């Protein structure tokens, strides 16, 4: 059996060819012929290796598709019309340890983790040899590597581990993932850390990334990890940990660093966010998908068009008539109420008219305002006015909502409204299942019988949904054990 987690690490396979430049994103050749001990001994090689790490992150097996959409497919906001079969095992909750989705996410997530770890290790060694003029570049490369590793570990622990906190209940002692501090040697035995220890490692990586970004700056590009995105990811991680004060703080830092205090509130402006490439002025970090570097049939745009996923009838039902988000709820000409065929939504790529060219926007300003709203509602000190103020920034996408007086008055009503607002705003961003799990509320999944609002699984507890670690990894004999009773939390 192959060892997915750390196979073939005796020689480097992360884009460290002697040709190419660290600033030519996704334009680097792969090489299997360089021994790692000597491969990353210069700053330019670090840059090239980092490009390769971004590419692994960017691939459809991870952030480019599978690692992003899994949280929405297994939820109440997506509809599958059954005309084609793509990731429908996730949608129907029939996934198995032999399934492609989990294997892809595990394998490519760990490619990002491993490659980032190698760059971090090599960068530490280079600190004493690079010139003062080169230190800022090395610092930024290292910061990005820490942030990429944190992001990959966060995806992995949420897919393959229990939700760390569920409405105040602590599950940090449950099995997490394999935490990689230093590059794993070829054939080295490993073991899983707890969910809590995994989150500690993620926070440590983000602390290091933020410190380096604050010291050396960032590239100022949407398509590279930057300080605002690092703050944003820290806000998300702390929200999951129910560290609400820190979540609120980091969300505010992300907003201030990004320089945004309002969103778009017209249908035309909202749709234009999803034109192509860097058109999304509300996004802090996105994938560098282009007309030439994209996943075509394996893209998220294809999944939400040709491959027959669309917004669920329930999601459409909770969008107000004057909600600007209706601007991207566009269906194909051959769509029917009973057989919906979507036009891509946030993956519509409207300027290019080809959803396969659409970019995945991964860390975005609206999420930060929603994090602030939730943190002020669920924190130790409840601040209804602060929660309403933050929530209104997003809720005003519905043009019938113009002031905090149009929002619910009580904490419980606001929380219920917030949950629906997260569904409306974060559709296609991959958060929904994990939000339902951590809230500890009963949820619905597996919509069918469009245009009726009908679910196969109704009012079920999704907080114990855990995806199995791939059999190939378990059977490889390198020490990773399957999550006990992983199947028990799956809705039946």
């Amino acid at each position: 059996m192959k060892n997915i987690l750390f196979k073939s690490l005796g020689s480097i396979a992360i884009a460290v060819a002697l040709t190419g430049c660290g600033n030519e994103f996704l334009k680097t050749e792969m090489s299997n012929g360089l021994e790692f001990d000597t491969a990353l001994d210069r700053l330019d090689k670090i840059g090239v290796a980092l490009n390769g790490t971004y590419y692994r992150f960017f691939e459809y097996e991870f952030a480019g598709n599978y690692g992003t959409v899994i949280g929405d497919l297994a939820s109440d906001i997506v509809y599958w019309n059954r005309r084609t079969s793509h990731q429908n095992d996730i949608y129907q909750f029939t996934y198995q340890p032999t399934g492609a989705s989990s294997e892809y996410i595990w394998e490519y997530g760990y490619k990002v983790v491993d490659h980032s770890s190698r760059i971090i290790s090599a960068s530490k060694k280079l600190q004493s040899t690079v010139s003062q003029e080169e230190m800022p570049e090395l610092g930024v490369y290292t910061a990005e590597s820490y942030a990429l590793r944190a992001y990959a570990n966060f995806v992995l622990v949420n897919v393959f581990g229990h939700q760390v906190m569920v409405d105040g209940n602590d599950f940090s002692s449950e099995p997490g993932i394999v935490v990689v501090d230093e590059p794993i040697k070829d054939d080295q035995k490993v073991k899983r850390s707890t969910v809590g220890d995994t989150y500690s490692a993620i926070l440590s990586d983000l602390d290091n990334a933020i410190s380096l970004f604050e010291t050396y700056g960032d590239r100022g590009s949407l398509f590279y990890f930057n300080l605002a995105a690092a703050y944003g990811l820290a806000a998300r991680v702390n929200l999951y940990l129910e560290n609400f004060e820190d979540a609120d703080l980091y969300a505010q830092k992300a907003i201030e660093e990004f320089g945004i205090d309002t969103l778009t509130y017209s249908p035309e402006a909202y749709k234009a966010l999803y034109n192509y490439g860097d058109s999304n002025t509300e996004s802090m970090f996105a994938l560098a998908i282009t007309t030439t570097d994209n996943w075509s049939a394996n893209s998220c745009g294809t999944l939400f068009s040709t491959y027959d996923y669309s917004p669920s009838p329930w999601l459409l039902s909770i969008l107000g008539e004057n909600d600007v988000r209706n601007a991207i709820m566009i269906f194909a000409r051959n769509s029917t109420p009973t057989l919906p065929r979507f036009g891509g939504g946030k993956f519509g790529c409207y300027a290019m008219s080809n959803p396969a060219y659409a970019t995945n926007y991964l860390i975005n300003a609206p999420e930060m305002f929603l994090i602030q709203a939730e943190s002020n509602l669920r924190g130790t000190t409840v601040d209804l006015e602060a929660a309403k103020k933050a929530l209104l920034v997003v809720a005003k996408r519905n043009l019938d909502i113009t002031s905090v007086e149009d929002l619910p008055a009580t904490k419980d009503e606001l929380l219920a409204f917030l949950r629906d607002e997260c569904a409306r705003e974060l559709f296609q961003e991959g958060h929904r299942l994990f939000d339902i799990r951590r809230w500890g509320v009963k949820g619905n999944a597996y919509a069918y019988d469009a245009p009726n609002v009908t679910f196969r699984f109704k009012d079920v507890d999704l907080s114990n949904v855990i995806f199995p670690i791939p059999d190939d990894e378990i059977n490889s004999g390198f020490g990773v054990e399957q999550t006990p009773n992983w199947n028990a939390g799956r809705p039946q």
Side-chain angles (χ1 to χ4, degrees), residues 161-350:
H162 198 285
Q163 198 79 33
V164 62
M165 297 291 294
V166 177
D167 192 27
N169 296 305
D170 189 344
F171 293 90
S172 60
S173 63
E174 293 293 310
I177 58 172
V178 179
V179 173
V180 181
D181 293 319
E182 296 292 333
I184 302 297
K185 297 178 181 178
D186 208 21
D187 297 331
Q188 178 180 335
K189 294 281 187 176
V190 297
K191 65 178 182 179
R192 297 173 67 178
S193 298
T194 64
V195 169
D197 286 342
T198 305
Y199 269 85
S200 294
I202 292 168
L203 289 177
S204 177
D205 278 350
L206 287 173
D207 285 344
N208 285 323
I210 288 168
S211 177
L212 288 165
F213 280 135
E214 289 176 340
T215 301
Y216 296 110
D218 56 45
R219 305 196 208 194
S221 170
L222 173 65
F223 302 119
Y224 293 94
F225 242 112
N226 52 67
L227 180 56
Y231 285 146
L233 183 56
R236 186 186 297 172
V237 172
N238 277 287
L239 182 72
Y240 278 43
L241 286 165
E242 298 188 0
N243 296 335
F244 295 117
E245 185 174 333
D246 286 340
D248 185 26
L249 174 65
Y250 279 115
Q252 185 61 34
K253 284 178 176 286
I255 290 166
E256 291 176 354
E257 175 65 22
F258 191 57
I260 190 170
D261 59 10
T262 189
L263 304 176
T264 58
Y265 301 110
S266 75
E268 297 79 14
Y270 183 77
K271 184 179 179 182
L273 295 175
Y274 304 101
N275 273 342
Y276 176 71
D278 61 0
S279 63
N280 193 333
T281 55
E282 298 175 359
S283 183
M284 302 173 183
F285 179 52
L287 300 182
I289 294 175
T290 68
T291 56
T292 54
D293 287 307
N294 62 75
W295 302 118
S296 187
N298 291 311
S299 68
C300 289
T302 302
L303 190 70
F304 280 95
S305 57
T306 307
Y307 290 163
D308 298 312
Y309 284 96
S310 61
S312 69
W314 174 76
L315 177 61
L316 293 173
S317 76
I318 65 169
L319 283 168
E321 181 179 353
N322 294 316
D323 196 309
V324 303
R325 288 166 292 208
N326 286 310
I328 63 167
M329 300 302 177
I330 302 170
F331 289 79
R333 290 182 180 179
N334 61 350
S335 179
T336 67
T338 57
L339 192 71
R341 296 177 179 178
F342 199 41
K346 289 182 178 178
F347 301 110
C349 195
Y350 300 105

Side-chain angles (χ1 to χ4, degrees), residues 12 31 101 157 168 180 193 229 234 243 374 380:
I12 189 168
S31 171
S101 296
V157 75
V180 181
S193 298
N243 296 335
E374 182 173 344
T380 303

Side-chain angles (χ1 to χ4, degrees), residues 24 42 63 104 112 116 122 150 181 204 239 252 262-263 269-270 319 328 330 355 367 369-370 378 381 404 471 480 490:
E24 295 177 359
R42 295 200 318 256
Y104 280 147
V112 177
S116 300
D181 293 319
S204 177
L239 182 72
Q252 185 61 34
T262 189
L263 304 176
Y270 183 77
L319 283 168
I328 63 167
I330 302 170
E367 181 193 356
F369 293 107
L370 293 172
R378 299 184 63 204
T381 302
V404 293
D471 271 352
V480 179
R490 170 162 57 184

Side-chain angles (χ1 to χ4, degrees), residues 93 95 161-162 433 437 461-467 489-491:
F93 289 86
Y95 48 79
H162 198 285
L433 172 65
R437 290 197 320 183
D461 181 4
L462 298 175
S463 65
N464 295 311
V465 169
I466 298 170
F467 296 95
R490 170 162 57 184

Side-chain angles (χ1 to χ4, degrees), residues 339-362:
L339 192 71
R341 296 177 179 178
F342 199 41
K346 289 182 178 178
F347 301 110
C349 195
Y350 300 105
M352 308 297 291
S353 300
N354 188 337
Y357 299 159
T359 297
N360 299 44
Y361 301 106
L362 299 177

